[in-house]
Amino acid sequence: MDDGTGNVEKVAIDETAILKNILTGDVKGGKAGIRLGGEKYMLSGSEEGRINLTKKAGGMIIGKAKTCAVLGVWSSAFKDSNGKFQNPGDTWARVKAMVDYLTSQGY
């Protein structure tokens, strides 16, 4: 990580801690930003039960249930099972369906 003065500092990345931070409202994620699945993301929005993260040509949508979270990753470079390019709207629909199911099962 560049500290702004040209000095590079090595930072350990704990993706579990970053995810926990995001789920509890820490929009910075960790010292090196939001890094999940080996990718760097930016928080692009959130609302009740949903967190939107973006990266170049894709992103991640996190849905929150009572005791767990569902992560859906999308990339506009790939097509889904219907032959359409992946997008955040379709990803959210699938994440939401899983969150609803898990919630109905007590999770």
Side-chain angles (χ1 to χ4, degrees):
M1 179 174 85
D2 187 334
D3 66 3
T5 64
N7 296 322
V8 177
E9 174 188 354
K10 289 189 178 191
V11 177
I13 297 172
D14 182 348
E15 293 187 4
T16 304
I18 290 170
L19 180 59
K20 185 177 178 182
N21 289 347
I22 294 167
L23 291 171
T24 58
D26 179 354
V27 297
K28 293 181 182 179
K31 192 169 183 178
I34 300 172
R35 295 179 184 266
L36 297 169
E39 299 284 338
K40 184 166 184 171
Y41 292 91
M42 257 186 358
L43 179 72
S44 58
S46 66
E47 55 189 64
E48 185 66 32
R50 173 181 174 168
I51 300 167
N52 298 325
L53 304 174
T54 57
K55 65 176 190 158
K56 185 176 181 181
M60 179 184 296
I61 297 183
I62 302 171
K64 298 192 294 185
K66 293 176 192 172
T67 63
C68 63
V70 177
L71 286 65
V73 179
W74 64 275
S75 171
S76 60
F78 298 110
K79 292 186 179 182
D80 64 17
S81 59
N82 296 321
K84 298 187 318 180
F85 285 103
Q86 295 176 358
N87 63 74
D90 290 340
T91 303
W92 171 240
R94 289 179 173 94
V95 167
K96 177 79 167 94
M98 181 56 74
V99 167
D100 289 347
Y101 171 75
L102 290 169
T103 300
S104 75
Q105 299 300 307
Y107 295 98

